[in-house]
C-alpha cells in the first residue's frame, strides 16, 4: 500500500488541493450569502420600522411577530435576539458596498464582534484590519477587548505594540475554517441543530447514545436540543445536550468531555447553568441542573451543578430522577467499546496517547 501511495503521490496531492480549494470556495460562497442575507434582513426591518407609527412599540412588536413566523420555517437562528443583531448590523454598516468588499474573508461572527464597538472610527478600523490581516474571530475579539486600536493610535512605539499583539494571538491564528462543522453555518443552511456533523468522532458517538439512554433510564425526561446555540453579547456557546424533566420542572444540561475533567470544565457547566436560568427559564421552572460527563472511566464520571441556594428538598429529590454515576459510567464505557470495535485504528491511537499521558 505504501508503494502505491508513493507511486500516485503526485495525483493524490493534486486532488487533495482541488478538494481543499472546492471546500474553501463553498465555505466562502455560503459565508457571503449568510452575511449579506442578515444585512438585508436588518435593512428591511429598519425600513419597516420607519414606516410604522409609535416606532419604539411598533418595532418591538415587529421583531417579536417576525421571529415567531421565521422560526416556524427557518429554525431557531431567527430568534428575537438575532433579529436585533441583524437590525444593528445594518445600522452600523449601512453601506452595502463596504460589507461586500470585506465579506470574502470576514464571517458573520466577525461582524457580530464588531457590533460591540460603539466608536464608528474604531469599528471601521477593526473591520479593515481584520480583513487585511486575516484575523480570526478570537484575534479580533481579543484586540477589541484590549483596546488595541486606541493603544496603537496613542503609542509612539507602534511596532512594539503590533509585535506584542501578533505574539499574543499567534495561537489563535492557527485555527482553520471548519466548513459545515460550524453550527452557525449549518443552521443558516437549514440543517437541524441536533444533527451530528462528526459521526466518526468519539464524543459525537457517545452523545448520540447518551441522549437515548437518559430518555430510557431517567424519569420524566423530554429531549430539547443537541448542540444548543446560546448567544451572549461577546461569545457563542454550544451546550451538548438539553433536556426538560417534567417531574422536576427544570432543564437538565449535559456537557461531555472526552478527556479528564478539569476545574475549567466544572466552571463551564456552572456558567451554562447560570446562563440557562437567565435566558431560557420561565416562571414556574425550577433552577437548571448541569451534568458534566467524562469519557474516562477512572474519573468521577458525573458532577451535578445545582445553583442559587436551592431548597435541600429539591437537591435530594433530583437524584431519584437521574441515572446514578455507576449507570452513566457503565453506559459511557459500553459506547466506547462499541465505537472502538467499529474504529479499531482509532483505539490504537487512543491507547498510544494514553500511554504518552501517563509517561508525561
Amino acid at each position: 500500500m505504501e508503494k502505491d501511495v508513493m507511486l500516485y503521490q503526485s495525483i493524490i496531492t493534486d486532488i487533495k488541493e482541488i478538494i481543499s480549494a472546492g471546500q474553501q470556495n463553498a465555505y466562502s460562497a455560503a459565508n457571503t450569502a449568510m452575511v449579506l442575507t442578515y444585512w438585508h434582513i436588518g435593512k428591511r426591518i429598519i425600513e419597516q420600522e420607519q414606516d410604522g407609527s409609535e416606532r419604539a412599540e411598533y418595532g418591538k412588536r415587529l421583531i417579536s411577530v417576525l421571529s415567531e413566523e421565521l422560526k416556524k420555517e427557518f429554525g431557531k437562528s431567527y430568534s428575537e435576539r438575532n433579529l436585533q443583531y441583524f437590525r444593528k448590523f445594518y445600522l452600523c454598516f449601512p453601506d452595502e458596498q463596504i460589507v461586500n468588499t470585506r465579506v470574502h474573508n470576514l464571517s458573520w461572527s466577525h461582524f457580530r464582534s464588531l457590533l460591540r464597538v460603539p466608536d464608528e472610527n474604531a469599528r471601521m478600523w477593526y473591520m479593515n484590519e481584520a480583513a487585511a490581516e486575516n484575523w480570526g474571530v478570537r484575534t479580533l475579539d481579543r484586540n477589541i477587548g484590549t483596546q488595541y486600536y486606541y493603544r496603537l493610535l496613542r503609542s509612539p512605539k507602534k511596532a512594539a505594540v503590533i509585535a506584542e499583539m501578533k505574539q499574543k494571538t499567534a495561537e489563535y491564528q492557527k485555527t482553520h475554517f471548519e466548513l459545515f462543522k460550524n453550527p452557525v453555518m449549518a443552521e443558516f443552511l437549514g440543517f437541524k441543530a441536533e444533527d451530528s456533523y462528526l459521526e466518526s468522532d468519539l464524543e459525537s458517538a457517545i452523545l448520540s447514545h447518551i441522549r437515548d439512554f437518559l430518555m430510557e433510564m431517567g424519569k420524566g425526561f423530554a429531549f430539547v436540543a443537541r448542540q444548543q446555540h446560546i448567544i451572549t453579547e461577546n461569545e457563542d456557546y454550544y451546550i451538548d445536550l438539553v433536556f426538560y424533566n417534567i417531574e422536576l420542572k427544570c432543564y437538565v444540561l449535559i456537557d461531555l468531555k472526552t478527556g479528564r475533567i478539569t476545574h475549567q470544565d466544572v466552571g463551564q457547566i456552572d456558567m451554562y447553568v447560570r446562563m440557562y436560568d437567565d435566558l431560557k427559564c420561565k416562571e414556574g421552572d425550577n433552577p437548571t441542573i448541569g451534568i458534566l460527563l467524562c469519557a474516562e472511566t477512572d474519573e468521577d464520571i458525573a458532577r451535578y451543578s445545582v445553583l442559587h441556594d436551592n431548597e435541600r428538598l429539591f437537591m435530594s429529590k433530583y437524584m431519584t430522577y437521574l441515572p446514578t454515576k455507576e449507570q452513566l459510567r457503565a453506559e459511557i464505557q459500553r459506547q466506547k467499546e462499541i465505537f472502538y470495535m467499529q474504529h479499531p485504528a482509532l483505539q490504537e491511537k487512543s491507547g498510544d496517547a494514553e500511554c504518552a499521558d501517563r509517561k508525561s
Side-chain angles (χ1 to χ4, degrees), residues 31-47 78 82-103 107-108 111-112 115 123-124 127 188:
N31 178 68
T32 298
M34 180 169 66
V35 172
L36 293 179
T37 295
Y38 292 166
W39 186 88
H40 281 288
I41 291 172
K43 179 183 179 183
R44 187 66 185 86
I45 290 172
I46 293 296
E47 290 173 345
Y78 299 92
N82 280 344
L83 292 179
Q84 292 288 6
Y85 275 126
F86 304 159
R87 179 183 180 278
K88 188 175 181 181
F89 183 31
Y90 173 73
L91 290 174
C92 288
F93 299 95
D95 189 337
E96 184 178 2
Q97 188 58 38
I98 290 177
V99 177
N100 256 315
T101 58
R102 294 291 179 249
V103 74
S107 67
W108 167 242
F111 281 107
R112 213 184 67 206
L115 300 184
R123 185 167 62 246
M124 295 302 292
M127 180 186 69
F188 173 74

Side-chain angles (χ1 to χ4, degrees), residues 228-350:
Q228 183 164 66
H229 189 185
I230 299 292
I231 301 174
T232 67
E233 197 67 32
N234 301 328
E235 292 286 347
D236 292 275
Y237 298 97
Y238 298 91
I239 304 173
D240 286 336
L241 292 174
V242 179
F243 297 88
Y244 190 84
N245 191 287
I246 299 168
E247 301 290 340
L248 297 175
K249 294 183 174 59
C250 73
Y251 287 99
V252 179
L253 313 182
I254 307 289
D255 200 29
L256 175 70
K257 303 299 177 184
T258 55
R260 294 177 182 274
I261 291 176
T262 67
H263 292 297
Q264 289 85 350
D265 296 330
V266 177
Q268 186 175 52
I269 190 68
D270 278 355
M271 179 186 70
Y272 286 165
V273 166
R274 293 178 186 275
M275 289 167 58
Y276 224 84
D277 281 345
D278 184 48
L279 300 175
K280 296 290 186 179
C281 286
K282 297 180 175 59
E283 186 176 352
D285 287 336
N286 282 311
T288 304
I289 296 173
I291 303 178
L292 182 59
L293 300 181
C294 174
E296 295 207 6
T297 56
D298 59 342
E299 288 288 312
D300 188 8
I301 203 77
R303 303 187 186 192
Y304 301 93
S305 175
V306 185
L307 306 179
H308 311 319
D309 299 320
N310 295 331
E311 295 180 2
R312 298 296 304 179
L313 176 63
F314 181 69
M315 292 178 67
S316 60
K317 181 182 178 182
Y318 76 78
M319 291 301 295
T320 67
Y321 290 92
L322 295 171
T324 66
K325 293 180 181 181
E326 289 71 24
Q327 289 172 322
L328 288 169
R329 179 181 292 113
E331 178 61 17
I332 289 179
Q333 181 60 28
R334 188 171 76 89
Q335 293 307 326
K336 284 176 68 177
E337 290 172 357
I338 292 172
F339 178 83
Y340 284 133
M341 285 176 63
Q342 297 170 334
H343 306 85
L346 293 180
Q347 184 174 26
E348 292 176 7
K349 292 181 181 178
S350 176

Side-chain angles (χ1 to χ4, degrees), residues 26 60 63 101 116 127 154 163 181 190 192-194 216 224 245 255 261 308 338 343:
K60 185 177 179 180
I63 292 289
T101 58
R116 294 161 36 207
M127 180 186 69
R154 296 167 186 166
K181 298 173 190 176
K192 293 181 180 179
E194 64 267 23
E216 293 175 6
V224 176
N245 191 287
D255 200 29
I261 291 176
H308 311 319
I338 292 172
H343 306 85

